[in-house]
Amino acid sequence: MTDHYSITPMIQATIMPLLTELSGESDWVEPDDVPRQVVTYGFASETFGGFELEPHRHAKSQLLLVQRGALSCEVEGGLWIVPPRSAIWIPGGAVHAMKMTGALEGYGVFVASGAGTNLPAKCCAVSVTPLLRELLIRAASLPLFYEEGGSHTRLVAVLIDEMAAAKAEDLHLPMPTDARLRCLVDRMMATPAHRETLDALATRAGMSARTMERLMRSETGMSLGRWRQQLSVMLAVKWLAGGASIQQVTADLGYESVPSFVTMFRKALGTSPGRYMAERYSGLT
């Protein structure tokens, strides 16, 4: 960790630059090296060009808020899709990988261990209130080495309280660890429109349908059919956030008609795809 007393006044006043597709390694300051409870930054790009972050970890916990677009994040046994007005919480030390495509805008905050007693212990997607969003924006303008003990510390304390109070969302897809099942679900994720029967999937995995279902429930808590439906919901949210039409998403997921897709989406998330995205983009400008 960086020695606090060796930091020059110029570095102490530095603000983490806004990260874009043009940012280089020199624009990034490793949050674990900053001796403060919170390090916040913004990111914005019209196209990250299919940018991926390989599996890595941080000592500090991390919250990523998406304002525009969507990103996917795989964290030790689970896949999360993060649409607008949502965020993902990644505990410190958890290995995670991210994929970003198309336009993306949001904020990230790293939180030191012990900064808040009520912060989640496990990875989760959470909804973002207007207050939490504004606190993140304000915190992103703080110097990396903000002065402690005054107004900046109070701002950080309120930010941590709001993160702890954020409500969890069901945008999580548990991933199996069994090699045969993982190969199977990876194929389903790569070709979601190819909707093979359960018997065909079991044959592909080299096991009986009964064994496949039992193993899938044991490893994910879901039947394969329920898992595939959750995958469809999460991919739909990601693609819609990226600007795809409902008709395009329906075709890309292999549904026979728009009404059948909309019915599935409504049962899963309690509202239609159009209303779901409209509510997430309202008030974000």
Side-chain angles (χ1 to χ4, degrees):
M1 178 161 300
T2 303
D3 182 357
H4 170 55
Y5 298 103
S6 68
I7 302 299
T8 67
M10 181 177 69
I11 297 298
Q12 287 184 4
T14 296
I15 297 173
M16 179 82 85
L18 179 71
L19 301 178
T20 72
E21 71 272 19
L22 300 178
S23 297
E25 290 185 8
S26 61
D27 294 318
W28 176 255
V29 178
E30 174 52 52
D32 288 342
D33 292 340
V34 180
R36 291 295 183 271
Q37 284 194 324
V38 162
V39 178
T40 309
Y41 64 97
F43 52 89
S45 172
E46 288 305 313
T47 172
F48 271 107
F51 179 69
E52 296 186 19
L53 284 175
E54 295 298 321
H56 63 286
R57 72 176 81 205
H58 303 279
K60 285 183 167 77
S61 297
Q62 182 178 8
L63 183 83
L64 276 172
L65 158 68
V66 172
Q67 291 199 110
R68 183 166 62 107
L71 63 83
S72 59
C73 183
E74 185 166 350
V75 187
E76 295 183 334
L79 179 70
W80 278 262
I81 297 295
V82 190
R85 271 192 168 170
S86 287
I88 183 170
W89 171 261
I90 306 171
V95 176
H96 56 286
M98 297 182 187
K99 293 183 180 180
M100 312 169 196
T101 56
L104 187 68
E105 180 182 343
Y107 290 88
V109 56
F110 288 86
V111 184
S113 175
T117 57
N118 296 319
L119 292 170
K122 297 181 179 181
C123 186
C124 59
V126 298
S127 59
V128 176
T129 64
L131 176 57
L132 177 53
R133 172 176 171 259
E134 293 304 317
L135 287 167
L136 285 167
I137 294 172
R138 179 68 182 88
S141 69
L142 294 180
L144 279 174
F145 298 86
Y146 57 82
E147 183 178 355
E148 295 180 297
S151 60
H152 293 165
T153 298
R154 292 193 294 272
L155 171 68
V156 165
V158 176
L159 172 59
I160 293 172
D161 285 344
E162 280 300 301
M163 286 192 289
K167 295 182 179 179
E169 293 190 313
D170 186 20
L171 292 172
H172 169 228
L173 191 66
M175 301 295 285
T177 58
D178 179 86
R180 295 166 297 175
L181 288 181
R182 183 56 196 253
C183 184
L184 196 64
V185 301
D186 283 347
R187 176 182 172 85
M188 293 168 66
M189 292 168 64
T191 57
H194 192 167
R195 306 184 72 81
E196 295 178 279
T197 65
L198 293 181
D199 286 337
L201 290 170
T203 299
R204 185 179 295 279
M207 62 181 82
S208 69
R210 184 175 180 179
T211 298
M212 179 184 67
E213 284 282 46
R214 183 171 62 248
L215 187 58
M216 191 70 179
R217 286 184 182 276
S218 173
E219 296 214 349
T220 69
M222 296 180 175
S223 67
L224 191 59
R226 175 70 183 87
W227 189 96
R228 182 157 55 181
Q229 178 179 299
Q230 182 71 355
L231 171 64
S232 294
V233 170
M234 293 175 62
L235 290 177
V237 168
K238 181 179 180 180
W239 294 338
L240 289 168
S245 67
I246 293 178
Q247 290 79 6
Q248 183 179 348
V249 171
T250 297
D252 288 346
L253 290 176
Y255 279 82
E256 294 182 356
S257 66
V258 168
S260 63
F261 162 68
V262 171
T263 297
M264 179 280 296
F265 192 98
R266 190 189 300 274
K267 286 182 178 178
L269 295 181
T271 188
S272 68
R275 184 176 295 275
Y276 181 87
M277 296 312 301
E279 289 174 350
R280 288 181 173 272
Y281 278 108
S282 64
L284 292 183
T285 57

